[in-house]
Amino acid sequence: MPGYQLDWLDELQRDGRIFEFWTYASGYIPMPDFRFSLPVKAGFAARRNPLTQAESNLMNKILDRIGREGPLMASDFENDRVTKSSGWWDWRPSKQALERLHLDGKLATLRRKDFRKVYDLPENIIPSDTDRTPPTDVEYARHVIVRSLNALGIAYFKEIAYSTRYTASRVKEELKKMVEEGKVCLVEVKGLKGAPLYMLPVYQNKKIELTGEAFILSPFDVVNVFRHRLRDFFDFDYQVECFVPQAKRKYGYFSLPVLIGDTFVARMDAKADRKQRMLMINNIHFESVKLTKPMIAQLIDSIKAFAKFNQCELITIKKSNHAPIVKTMHKALR
């Protein structure tokens, strides 16, 4: 994100202007939208299997301890695991209890600069003047529709409703009504057949000009979240491979899509060694598209900016499928 400052999230959290909870994944939400997190919290609680007495007791003990001692991290609780971990999401009981309490809304969280999660009572994090009125089913559905279309531009129903998958929502019914009311438009993309697409009227006559800049995107950028959208709109088949077994990875652990104009031109798997101030491009794989000299220049500029943002001064490229372009890049990056 051009111009992004690393301190912004800390400042916004400290000022009580954002809070962490669930959108399509764990993320930050503007505080005025706090009330719209309440149906999601109720949905998580309703979907959960009945708690055992031991689980319930542990959650109550954690609430009591945080109430007495103040904000705590998972590491502040003893290692109560009785079996060996089987993977990322196989949390020990105390961590599970903390996450359940967070999803239920009985705890809120902040992030430290090392990105570790700190749990506290909601009244210590959520400002007292925050609207806590539960939205009606209609209010919640319409909020989701407008928020999703603001983020996505145009979208299928399944994308609009994706963040409601843990709730019982009226998104389908309200989407139909909003089309009838003229508050949402139906969209046709030439050459694309399938489910209906939707858009907010504000974009109906908006002229879009592509700058030709190169953007190195996060795998979790809203453009990349839905794999089918990339195939439908950009003819780009992308998957973040940190969730793929190592033997099956094609492009790298954390390959970043590179977009120039309206074309995805490459995938860049990079790692920042901040001690050495070195950006290591483990692999930059170019798609089967023609890159002009101006496009390569834009790509080089974006890599330089990316390295600077990651506090790196040196750049090295280890692997690529396009030696001539990499030779040009080496000269410019040197």
Side-chain angles (χ1 to χ4, degrees):
M1 184 180 294
Y4 176 76
Q5 301 296 315
L6 291 173
D7 292 335
W8 283 354
L9 280 179
D10 291 334
E11 291 174 5
L12 290 168
Q13 286 186 104
R14 186 174 61 247
D15 295 343
R17 295 172 61 187
I18 60 174
F19 68 102
E20 183 181 7
F21 196 61
W22 199 265
T23 52
Y24 62 79
S26 185
Y28 290 105
I29 303 173
M31 198 61 74
D33 290 347
F34 179 82
R35 62 192 292 252
F36 295 104
S37 71
L38 300 177
V40 185
K41 291 166 182 171
F44 275 120
R47 288 166 57 92
R48 184 181 301 131
N49 292 329
L51 296 174
T52 65
Q53 189 62 52
E55 290 171 330
S56 183
N57 290 344
L58 178 57
M59 290 167 71
N60 289 332
K61 286 180 181 178
I62 287 174
L63 281 175
D64 178 67
R65 183 178 168 190
I66 291 176
R68 287 183 289 105
E69 299 181 21
L72 296 171
M73 296 183 293
S75 58
D76 293 317
F77 294 86
E78 63 179 285
N79 188 348
D80 49 1
R81 178 178 293 284
V82 293
T83 58
K84 186 178 179 180
S85 174
S86 62
W88 281 10
W89 310 118
D90 183 17
W91 292 326
R92 55 195 176 90
S94 55
K95 172 64 174 174
Q96 284 185 341
L98 286 164
E99 286 298 306
R100 285 169 177 159
L101 289 165
H102 180 218
L103 292 177
D104 288 356
K106 294 176 182 176
L107 288 177
T109 61
L110 291 172
R111 293 278 180 173
R112 289 193 170 172
K113 285 197 173 182
D114 57 6
F115 208 64
R116 288 196 291 175
K117 188 183 288 188
V118 181
Y119 300 84
D120 201 353
L121 299 180
E123 53 264 35
N124 295 332
I125 292 179
I126 309 301
S128 58
D129 59 352
T130 302
D131 188 354
R132 292 171 167 80
T133 309
T136 65
D137 292 346
V138 170
E139 285 179 319
Y140 175 64
R142 292 194 172 218
H143 168 78
V144 168
I145 292 166
V146 172
R147 187 185 70 180
S148 298
L149 289 177
N150 268 323
L152 295 166
I154 64 174
Y156 298 105
F157 163 74
K158 63 180 180 180
E159 298 155 2
I160 295 170
Y162 187 68
S163 66
T164 69
R165 62 195 184 281
Y166 301 112
T167 67
S169 76
R170 291 175 50 89
V171 170
K172 183 174 284 189
E173 298 93 319
E174 292 307 313
L175 185 59
K176 182 179 178 182
K177 289 180 183 178
M178 291 178 78
V179 171
E180 293 169 353
E181 295 165 5
K183 295 179 179 177
V184 171
C185 303
L186 283 167
V187 181
E188 180 182 348
V189 176
K190 290 181 180 179
L192 189 62
K193 297 180 180 179
L197 285 159
Y198 301 90
M199 178 180 72
L200 294 175
V202 68
Y203 297 126
Q204 199 165 5
N205 297 310
K206 190 175 180 68
K207 292 184 178 179
I208 305 297
E209 293 184 11
L210 299 176
T211 65
E213 291 177 81
F215 293 94
I216 300 170
L217 300 176
S218 161
F220 307 110
D221 188 291
V222 70
V223 173
N224 302 317
V225 168
F226 300 103
R227 193 176 180 183
H228 59 270
R229 280 173 65 89
L230 292 175
R231 288 195 294 257
D232 288 351
F233 300 149
F234 298 96
D235 193 26
F236 182 60
D237 190 11
Y238 173 76
Q239 182 179 22
V240 57
E241 295 188 346
C242 57
F243 302 118
V244 175
Q246 185 172 359
K248 295 184 178 180
R249 290 177 194 151
K250 296 180 180 179
Y251 307 106
Y253 177 80
F254 205 67
S255 62
L256 310 169
V258 181
L259 179 69
I260 300 181
D262 60 359
T263 304
F264 283 92
V265 301
R267 308 158 200 251
M268 186 178 84
D269 179 42
K271 184 175 182 178
D273 183 342
R274 292 185 177 86
K275 288 184 179 180
Q276 302 293 324
R277 302 185 74 82
M278 170 77 76
L279 179 72
M280 296 177 291
I281 300 175
N282 296 317
N283 183 24
I284 182 164
H285 178 92
F286 291 93
E287 302 299 302
S288 299
V289 295
K290 184 178 180 180
L291 288 182
T292 62
K293 287 184 178 179
M295 292 171 75
I296 295 171
Q298 288 286 356
L299 174 59
I300 291 168
D301 286 345
S302 69
I303 291 175
K304 288 179 179 178
F306 185 78
K308 183 178 179 181
F309 176 78
N310 282 283
Q311 303 161 37
C312 295
E313 296 174 350
L314 302 172
I315 303 169
T316 180
I317 303 173
K318 293 185 175 181
K319 179 183 174 183
S320 178
N321 65 331
H322 204 307
I325 292 180
V326 169
K327 186 177 180 180
T328 301
M329 292 172 65
H330 269 304
K331 288 180 180 179
L333 295 173
R334 193 177 300 140

